Amino acid sequence: MKTRCLILDDEPLARDVIFNYAEKFEDLQVVAQCSDAEEARQMLLQLPVDLIFLDIHLPKTSGLEFLKSLQYPPKIIVTTAYREYAMEGFELDVVDYLLKPIKFERFMRAVNKYQQIAGVIQADFNGGKPFIFVREHKKEVKISLCDIQYIEGLGEYVRIHTSRKKVITKMGMSQMEEKLPRQFFLRIHKSYMVCLLHVEAYTNTSVELAGVELPIGRRYKSSVMNLLTLAEGVSGL
């Protein structure tokens, strides 16, 4: 399974260095390169990303402010010429903090560190530890994320289909989408969201999972095809 990477740096030469280093690793795949935070934010809405190589000095907003704004951030390796932000970076739980000019040996150590951390994340997700609580019949119901097969929109409500039960809660699809990590859950239609772990087959018009066939909405078709093509073994599942 390849780690899907996004490079966020406003300097083309700096992006080239990271891209060329990443190309040396068979298990790294650069899926996007961005020059500012807004471009990166849009990419995160369209593509599953496991790891961001993040510059700090960016146009309009800093890399760390961008990181703080993400509800479910991927793992981060900072790449910067400024050592004074290191403490703040590690307080934000970045994997590593690389100072430019970055030598390949140092880059390799950072990637190895990420891979060790990612192994723990995968074990946690497979173990069913990540979960959410949703309100049903005046009580909060715990749902393990890896049990969720798909989510069905019902106007002001959603029906959460899991491998064990179905739960209906008062919440819009967009609100539900914000609660779930984007690297694992994919909106395929205005009324459906699926967990990539449970996808068994797909065509350009539908997704099959848990014994049902769900339609792919016209407005979602392009991004869904890109995501499913990239998600050949979702990292972390």
Side-chain angles (χ1 to χ4, degrees), residues 48-199:
V49 172
D50 305 303
L51 176 64
I52 298 179
F53 293 99
L54 178 66
D55 187 23
I56 287 182
H57 278 211
L58 297 170
K60 298 181 182 178
T61 185
S62 76
L64 294 182
E65 289 302 317
F66 167 71
L67 173 56
K68 292 175 187 176
S69 74
L70 300 178
Q71 185 173 8
Y72 293 106
K75 286 300 177 182
I76 304 291
I77 293 177
V78 172
T79 58
T80 181
Y82 302 90
R83 66 175 65 246
E84 60 264 32
Y85 301 101
M87 184 61 69
E88 184 179 1
F90 284 116
E91 287 175 353
L92 293 171
D93 199 29
V94 303
V95 172
D96 211 338
Y97 193 98
L98 305 184
L99 287 173
K100 298 176 181 177
I102 300 167
K103 294 183 178 180
F104 178 71
E105 291 76 13
R106 184 66 182 87
F107 180 89
M108 184 167 55
R109 291 208 308 272
V111 171
N112 289 339
K113 186 175 179 181
Y114 162 77
Q115 290 170 337
Q116 291 174 356
I117 293 171
V120 174
I121 293 171
Q122 291 171 18
D124 283 349
F125 202 90
N126 283 327
K129 293 181 181 179
F131 61 86
I132 57 172
F133 280 102
V134 298
R135 192 166 185 80
E136 183 185 47
H137 304 315
K138 299 182 180 180
K139 63 181 178 181
E140 299 296 325
V141 179
K142 182 180 180 179
I143 300 178
S144 173
L145 296 190
C146 62
D147 283 342
I148 298 175
Q149 297 170 329
Y150 67 98
I151 298 163
E152 178 184 4
L154 305 169
E156 294 183 352
Y157 293 79
V158 295
R159 180 185 287 122
I160 303 170
H161 297 254
T162 80
S163 55
R164 305 177 186 181
K165 58 188 175 183
K166 299 176 184 178
V167 176
I168 295 179
T169 186
K170 189 172 183 181
M171 187 183 301
M173 282 290 284
S174 295
Q175 188 179 357
M176 189 71 208
E177 193 173 9
E178 291 177 359
K179 285 180 73 73
L180 299 171
R182 293 182 185 276
Q183 62 265 46
F184 303 128
F185 292 89
L186 172 62
R187 184 82 173 266
I188 64 168
H189 188 276
K190 67 178 181 179
S191 299
Y192 295 106
M193 188 186 324
V194 301
C195 178
L196 292 170
L197 171 65
H198 297 284
V199 172

